[in-house]
Amino acid sequence: MHPIVKLVVQRLALGLLLLWATSILLFSLTEALPGDAAQAVLGQNATPQALANMREEMGLNRPAVTRYAEWFGGILHGDLGRSIINKVEISESVGRRLSTTIFLAFWAAVVAVPLSIFLGLLAVRFRERWPDKLISGLSLASISIPEFLLGYLLMYFVGVKLGWFPTNAIISDGMTLGQKLNAIALPVIVLTMVVLAHMMRMTRAAILNVMQSAYIETAELKGLSGFDVIWKHAFPNAIAPIVNVVMLNLAYLVVGVVVVEVVFVYPGMGQFLVDAVSKRDVPVVLACGIIFAAIYIGMNMLADIVSIIANPRLRHPK
Amino acid sequence: MKNIPLSAMIGLFFTALYFLAAIFAPLIAPYGMSDVVSNEIWAPASSEFLLGTDSIGRDLLTRMIYGGRTTIFIATAATILSFVTGSVLGFFAAVSGGWIDQVLSRFVDLMMAIPSLILALVVLAVVPVTLPVIIVLMGLLDATRVFRLARAVAVDINVMDYVEAARLRGEGTSWVIFREILPNALSPLVAEMGLRFIFMVLFVSTLSFLGLGVQPPLADWGGIVRENKDGIIYGIPAALWPAFAIATLAISVNLVADWVLNRTTSLKGGRG
């Protein structure tokens, strides 16, 4: 077998194993900790009798291993169980919300990825001069503010004071793409700022690393302009680390989405998860948790696979 | 003291200011923490209320000072917990090696494969949300990062001659960990501490903002945003003060951490 196929298959298998271990970890966290679903529904003041009846009704008296097997088996068949608050099938509510969340994350990625690579190139072109310092200063500042506050800062200054974009990201099926994009403009900007700083710094570092090679000196000596050297000679050789960083940050978007959705009242997975946690709806929390974890692990796995494939030494073994 | 660069001085000054304000909050704050002092909600800043009032007529400056106290207290406690558990377990894994190291490291890998916020939310759905629970939860989740660092540093130190000498003269594992490895691993860990502290401040603010952290009437910076967020769309900036506080605290702690890192690395000839 081609060594690269072998590496990719190994990485895939490892990802699946990790996902399975995650499901065990999440399930056992909700089991092992004091308090359970019955307690959560009835509250702290429930009588022991009521608790026992509730546990009986919810099937919590059966051994944990059996319930885990049922739960995990259900997930494999696309059945995420039922909410304990309103008894609705979780997979139904999740389906719609997942697509709205991916819509938001997709547009954030569309803005953030080219912008951060461009700014990274700019920082390298003018390294140690004011554009570089300005960019790194701004990126430090945006790391120091949590996502939700960034959201409110933008909502206050751009949404309310300037009135450019709506403050609540409400989207419905009847809207055209343009209207939808206008509605999610502010959350997209916040998510972009959240991942931009990190992506840009890593792009800058990756290209600077390549800039020390002898062939860059050759390119400079034969008289190419600063941008040509970076774009034609340094950038292609820095693609593997850059793609890796981009994937990792897209995975990070998944988490940023949770908070940003709550800020802008956006009807996606994040809001769903936070609501379920405050209502103590354990099956919904578990389902959302495993979905978020799966996306995160999947993205990380993809990042690894891309960097394996992007490595020419692995592609063409001696 | 003369060798401290300007940026570190500024950082130290503001960090100290925030910590002093946190410790002496009851003395500094003009009003009581949850006293409703005005009939007017979201009153603008005046000589009576320096930052105005909040969503139910409490003094915002008082809330911010007490909020800082809660936030800084939780972040500090969680940082200490995460460093104690993370570094002790990390050193232990490095010194023991073999299957103990494997089990601990693979478990930490698993924990780090899941975003901390998601793990925290799953746990908070089951257990009651109280201050000790939040501190322990944040501390243990973050201990995985400290474990990685501590283990990596300790693996290097563990093969040093003086550690071998200690073993040969018959010292036990705990001597090796606390007398040989800990003193030599301290500087990279202390430099990391600043960054972890900032992360804790951001984390607890996020949890409180989601309504799953510090519970009212106790004030904290994330909670102040939550209480006053409805004012934003009417153009009332009350919810933005915590942004200012968190950002200045984060930047000043970063400046101090940078300085500590530079100082320790130059002393040790680049060994982080």
Side-chain angles (χ1 to χ4, degrees):
Chain A
M1 207 195 311
H2 197 282
I4 206 163
V5 179
K6 199 175 156 205
L7 272 175
V8 170
V9 170
Q10 270 177 357
R11 199 61 199 83
L12 276 172
L14 195 64
L16 289 179
L17 185 71
L18 200 55
L19 207 51
W20 178 62
T22 304
S23 78
I24 294 180
L25 177 69
L26 291 183
F27 190 83
S28 46
L29 271 180
T30 60
E31 282 298 319
L33 293 166
D36 64 1
Q39 185 97 54
V41 173
L42 296 174
Q44 295 293 324
N45 303 325
T47 61
Q49 184 59 43
L51 274 177
N53 290 343
M54 194 67 176
R55 288 198 177 111
E56 183 70 35
E57 189 193 320
M58 294 166 76
L60 288 176
N61 288 335
R62 290 170 303 140
V65 179
T66 322
R67 279 180 292 125
Y68 170 75
E70 277 179 19
W71 176 71
F72 193 66
I75 290 180
L76 294 181
H77 292 100
D79 172 21
L80 295 167
R82 280 171 187 280
S83 153
I84 51 173
I85 305 290
N86 54 14
K87 312 283 183 226
V88 179
E89 287 266 353
I90 298 171
S91 35
E92 267 177 40
S93 0
V94 161
R96 276 185 61 82
R97 284 167 172 274
L98 191 59
S99 59
T100 26
T101 292
I102 289 175
F103 180 73
L104 179 62
F106 170 77
W107 284 105
V110 165
V111 177
V113 173
L115 190 64
S116 61
I117 290 177
F118 173 72
L119 288 178
L121 290 175
L122 205 67
V124 174
R125 173 68 186 80
F126 298 101
R127 64 182 171 280
E128 306 299 330
R129 306 231 305 264
W130 68 265
D132 185 22
K133 288 190 174 144
L134 180 73
I135 289 172
S136 57
L138 284 179
S139 67
L140 256 184
S142 81
I143 292 174
S144 307
I145 306 177
E147 294 99 342
F148 67 96
L149 277 173
L150 219 50
Y152 283 117
L153 280 174
L154 278 176
M155 194 191 274
Y156 181 74
F157 288 109
V158 181
V160 177
K161 289 285 162 184
L162 296 173
W164 288 355
F165 299 111
T167 51
N168 279 358
I170 299 163
I171 61 167
S172 56
D173 290 336
M175 295 162 90
T176 62
L177 185 63
Q179 286 169 323
K180 280 187 185 173
L181 288 184
N182 187 43
I184 63 166
L186 284 180
V188 164
I189 297 174
V190 175
L191 284 173
T192 303
M193 287 170 80
V194 168
V195 291
L196 189 67
H198 190 233
M199 258 201 276
M200 212 175 58
R201 285 158 74 97
M202 297 300 281
T203 307
R204 179 178 177 276
I207 297 177
L208 276 183
N209 202 14
V210 176
M211 292 295 275
Q212 286 158 4
S213 319
Y215 56 82
I216 296 296
E217 205 173 335
T218 312
E220 275 167 2
L221 288 176
K222 76 185 184 194
L224 290 183
S225 72
F227 250 121
D228 269 353
V229 173
I230 295 170
W231 181 247
K232 290 189 180 148
H233 294 266
F235 184 68
N237 289 296
I239 278 191
I242 291 174
V243 169
N244 203 8
V245 168
V246 167
M247 294 310 260
L248 293 182
N249 277 283
L250 293 187
Y252 185 74
L253 263 185
V254 174
V255 190
V257 147
V258 173
V259 181
V260 172
E261 277 181 5
V262 175
V263 171
F264 291 99
V265 206
Y266 184 79
M269 285 287 288
Q271 185 118 59
F272 192 47
L273 172 61
V274 172
D275 281 350
V277 174
S278 38
K279 287 181 197 149
R280 313 205 147 234
D281 195 342
V282 178
V284 175
V285 174
L286 266 181
C288 292
I290 196 91
I291 290 172
F292 274 117
I295 298 175
Y296 191 76
I297 291 172
M299 288 293 219
N300 278 302
M301 193 172 72
L302 218 56
D304 277 4
I305 292 176
V306 167
S307 62
I308 291 172
I309 294 175
N311 186 342
R313 290 205 180 83
L314 288 174
R315 258 201 327 260
H316 307 288
K318 283 175 189 154
Chain B
M1 286 297 272
K2 273 182 187 168
N3 297 330
I4 302 178
L6 181 68
S7 64
M9 279 298 262
I10 297 173
L12 271 177
F13 175 73
F14 280 102
T15 310
L17 200 68
Y18 272 108
F19 272 85
L20 288 178
I23 295 168
F24 297 110
L27 300 179
I28 304 169
Y31 303 93
M33 182 181 74
S34 45
D35 292 354
V36 176
V37 290
S38 167
N39 296 326
E40 197 182 348
I41 60 166
W42 287 318
S46 60
S47 58
E48 204 180 349
F49 311 113
L50 288 175
L51 298 181
T53 59
D54 78 349
S55 58
I56 55 171
R58 291 172 296 194
D59 178 47
L60 197 57
L61 179 63
T62 309
R63 296 289 289 171
M64 282 298 296
I65 292 172
Y66 276 101
R69 183 186 170 96
T70 320
T71 305
I72 289 175
F73 168 71
I74 294 178
T76 310
T79 311
I80 292 171
L81 178 68
S82 105
F83 268 80
V84 171
T85 40
S87 53
V88 168
L89 283 178
F91 294 157
F92 183 62
V95 172
S96 311
W99 66 269
I100 298 180
D101 185 21
Q102 280 298 321
V103 169
L104 281 172
S105 298
R106 293 296 82 76
F107 182 70
V108 165
D109 284 351
L110 173 62
M111 295 272 285
M112 288 179 71
I114 311 168
S116 339
L117 182 65
I118 303 296
L119 264 181
L121 289 181
V122 170
V123 172
L124 288 175
V126 189
V127 295
V129 182
T130 58
L131 279 193
V133 166
I134 298 170
I135 292 173
V136 170
L137 176 64
M138 292 195 345
L140 291 185
L141 282 180
D142 206 56
T144 54
R145 268 84 180 163
V146 181
F147 173 90
R148 277 257 175 110
L149 177 70
R151 186 185 165 279
V153 174
V155 163
D156 278 356
I157 300 175
N158 197 30
V159 292
M160 294 284 175
D161 290 344
Y162 54 83
V163 178
E164 202 180 336
R167 279 185 212 279
L168 286 176
R169 64 172 192 260
E171 305 291 1
T173 310
S174 63
W175 174 285
V176 172
I177 290 177
F178 291 106
R179 296 297 183 88
E180 308 292 339
I181 292 184
L182 182 64
N184 292 293
L186 213 50
S187 58
L189 284 177
V190 168
E192 176 76 4
M193 206 172 221
L195 300 179
R196 300 324 309 169
F197 174 77
I198 292 302
F199 180 77
M200 291 294 190
V201 170
L202 301 187
F203 199 26
V204 71
S205 307
T206 303
L207 285 179
S208 297
F209 165 69
L210 295 175
L212 303 165
V214 179
Q215 300 296 313
L218 206 60
D220 91 300
W221 287 342
I224 292 173
V225 179
R226 184 181 172 79
E227 287 160 9
N228 296 301
K229 66 181 161 80
D230 296 332
I232 292 273
I233 46 173
Y234 304 112
I236 295 153
L240 302 182
W241 284 106
F244 177 74
I246 292 175
T248 45
L249 178 64
I251 291 170
S252 31
V253 173
N254 261 328
L255 290 177
V256 177
D258 267 0
W259 169 61
V260 173
L261 195 67
N262 282 335
R263 220 176 61 106
T264 51
T265 46
S266 60
L267 266 180
K268 298 253 158 125
R271 231 199 69 92

